[in-house]
Amino acid sequence: MTIKYVIFDMDGVLVDSEPLWAESQIETLAQYGAVITEPDCEKYTRGLRVDELAVVWIKKFHLNIEPTLLRDEIVDLVCRKIAEKAVPMDGIYPLLDFLKTKKIPTALATSSNRKVIKTVFDKLKLWDYFPIQCSAAEEELAKPHPAVYLSAIKALGATPADCLIIEDSVTGLIAAKAANVRTFIVNPKFADERFAIADERLPSLHEVLNILRQEL
């Protein structure tokens, strides 16, 4: 199976933003008297669209707040944090530069909305690497539904068999495999059995690059 295109998730794959998402949820919910921890965010909301995670917390704590308001407050805070202190995931630029030299087109398929995408891309200077950016915020159904990945495949003019997806979450992995695409999980907890359906489970993007150097 030849890799002709690579599709990337964003949070936790391109940018080390998952801790910032957790901080933003923790701090925003604290204003409403709801106490959560980073492991809670990992367990309940990692990989979800922000409108969905807002609903998760409202239901869990019976909060008297509109989901759209909580969503916007979390997004505003996470964007501020990303702009201030986000860093790229280790190994992302060597991987993207390698794909560029091999003339392998890339696309983004993220659960984050356009405001977060712009904040990340401005901060990390990623615009030249990703002419195609697809957001699950614009799909009727979010991950774990494959809609955003199917949109990315269509935008690339590709077929699922031509593509590789790089993900970091269980929710994203389910979406990627539902799109019938070869998928690498890149996560420090790669041995977690919840990732068992991945085609490769790797601790960092350096290992992705090593594999692709052998295949391309």
Side-chain angles (χ1 to χ4, degrees), residues 1-4 160-164 180-183 199 215-216:
M1 191 179 297
T2 303
I3 298 169
K4 298 178 182 177
D162 293 331
C163 298
L164 170 68
N180 200 29
V181 177
R182 183 182 180 192
T183 305
D199 295 278
E215 293 194 21
L216 297 175

Side-chain angles (χ1 to χ4, degrees), residues 7-209:
I7 303 172
F8 289 78
D9 176 45
M10 186 174 73
D11 295 289
V13 173
L14 300 179
V15 58
D16 189 12
S17 54
E18 292 296 348
L20 305 182
W21 275 104
E23 286 177 19
S24 299
Q25 292 174 76
I26 291 165
E27 292 173 22
T28 303
L29 286 167
Q31 298 174 20
Y32 299 97
V35 178
I36 61 169
T37 64
E38 187 165 342
D40 290 332
C41 296
E42 173 75 23
K43 180 177 179 180
Y44 294 111
T45 62
R46 184 163 181 163
L48 296 185
R49 283 192 322 207
V50 66
D51 59 320
E52 293 180 323
L53 67 83
V55 171
V56 167
W57 298 130
I58 288 169
K59 287 183 176 179
K60 188 172 182 63
F61 293 102
H62 307 289
L63 300 178
N64 185 23
I65 178 176
E66 285 295 320
T68 52
L69 177 59
L70 185 59
R71 174 200 68 193
D72 291 347
E73 289 182 351
I74 293 171
V75 166
D76 288 347
L77 185 53
V78 80
C79 284
R80 289 201 298 273
K81 289 178 179 289
I82 288 168
E84 289 170 8
K85 56 184 179 180
V87 296
M89 295 300 289
D90 190 31
I92 189 59
Y93 293 118
L95 174 56
L96 291 173
D97 287 335
F98 172 77
L99 293 172
K100 210 170 216 185
T101 62
K102 292 294 182 178
K103 296 181 169 55
I104 302 293
T106 55
L108 180 77
T110 176
S111 292
S112 289
N113 63 24
R114 294 288 169 182
K115 182 174 181 177
V116 181
I117 293 171
K118 183 180 186 306
T119 305
V120 170
F121 276 38
D122 285 348
K123 176 70 173 180
L124 302 187
K125 298 178 172 55
L126 292 173
W127 293 107
D128 289 344
Y129 293 105
F130 293 97
I132 294 170
Q133 305 128 30
C134 297
S135 169
E138 296 159 11
E139 303 286 350
E140 182 178 353
L141 297 171
K143 299 176 185 179
H145 192 279
V148 69
Y149 280 120
L150 296 175
S151 291
I153 292 165
K154 183 178 180 180
L156 286 165
T159 67
D162 293 331
C163 298
L164 170 68
I165 290 172
I166 301 177
E167 261 288 354
D168 72 306
S169 71
V170 174
T171 302
L173 172 60
I174 294 169
K177 295 305 291 181
N180 200 29
V181 177
R182 183 182 180 192
T183 305
F184 290 0
I185 274 289
V186 179
N187 190 305
K189 299 176 182 176
F190 65 94
D192 189 323
E193 282 310 302
R194 296 179 302 162
F195 297 138
I197 62 171
D199 295 278
E200 297 282 352
R201 293 188 277 176
L202 306 164
S204 79
L205 294 167
H206 293 293
E207 286 76 20
V208 175
L209 179 55

